[in-house]
């Protein structure tokens, strides 16, 4: 089963599972954007738009997602925001280098089959000096987590990977540096990371 098919099937249930569990972590990650001058922001893997109600009003937002079903559900959440939905892959972003002032990567790096490529693409389309806001579940380098690693071949084909190490990704994606890295949920398995594009 492809991720596109999986997320088309789970779109109606996605919100019920994730809204309450991730709301505060999303809000805390997105507060950085409120202090920034108006710009263009990419919401990569926008899904059903759970981030949209928490975004500050001054920016122009572009949300990209692989599935039309998810994007349709995102539109009502945009409210009065200047928001445009684009169907496409975060592994091959259809935007020029440095096109965005900021990029949001919430719960997407552990979903895609090639998280390194997704991070490289996000860095590429973010302008120098811009920020990348990451919220996801990551193992620490060398963390054993046998059950999570064992389940990943199954869970990764249906919805999400559980074995992604952020430090390993960043080592393979030069061009950004860590400004903050905080535990978010589940005893630090979920983290909020803010990067600056070099």
């Amino acid at each position: 089963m492809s991720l596109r098919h999986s997320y088309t099937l789970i779109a109606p249930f996605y919100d019920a599972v994730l809204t309450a569990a991730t709301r505060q972590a999303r809000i805390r990650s997105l507060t950085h954007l409120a202090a920034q001058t108006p710009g263009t922001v990419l919401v990569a893997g926008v899904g059903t738009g759970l981030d949209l109600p928490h975004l500050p009003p001054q920016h122009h937002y572009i949300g990209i997602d692989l599935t039309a079903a998810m994007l349709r559900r995102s539109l009502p959440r945009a409210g009065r925001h200047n928001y445009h939905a684009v169907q496409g892959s975060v592994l091959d972003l259809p935007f020029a280098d440095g096109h965005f002032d900021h990029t949001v990567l919430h719960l997407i790096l552990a979903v895609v089959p090639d998280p390194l490529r997704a991070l490289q693409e996000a860095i590429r389309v973010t302008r120098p000096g811009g920020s990348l806001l990451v919220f996801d579940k990551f193992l620490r380098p060398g963390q054993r987590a046998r059950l999570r690693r064992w389940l990943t071949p199954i869970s990764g084909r249906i919805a999400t990977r559980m074995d992604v190490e952020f430090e390993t990704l960043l080592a393979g994606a030069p061009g950004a540096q860590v400004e903050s890295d905080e535990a978010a949920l589940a005893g630090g398995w979920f983290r909020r990371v803010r990067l600056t594009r070099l």
Side-chain angles (χ1 to χ4, degrees), residues 22-36 41-46 49-59 61-62 77 81 102-107 131-135 180 182 184 191-194:
T22 64
R23 183 175 185 272
Q24 287 304 315
R26 290 173 187 274
I27 290 171
R28 289 189 182 119
S29 175
L30 296 169
T31 55
H32 173 75
L33 294 176
Q36 307 305 309
V41 178
L42 174 66
V43 184
V46 68
L50 294 181
D51 289 315
L52 299 181
H54 311 302
L55 293 169
Q58 71 266 34
H59 303 294
Y61 296 100
I62 295 178
R77 286 204 165 97
H81 285 313
H102 310 282
T103 297
V104 176
L105 293 156
H106 283 183
L107 301 180
S131 58
L132 296 97
L133 307 178
V134 179
F135 163 55
S180 64
E182 302 173 322
R191 291 155 60 187
R192 291 187 308 273
V193 183
R194 179 164 52 87

Side-chain angles (χ1 to χ4, degrees), residues 147-159:
L147 181 59
R148 295 176 198 171
R149 294 182 188 277
W150 181 78
L151 287 173
T152 287
I154 301 167
S155 66
R157 296 185 70 170
I158 299 170

Side-chain angles (χ1 to χ4, degrees), residues 75-90:
L75 294 173
R77 286 204 165 97
R80 296 186 178 181
H81 285 313
N82 182 355
Y83 171 70
H84 182 65
V86 174
Q87 187 171 0
S89 172
V90 298

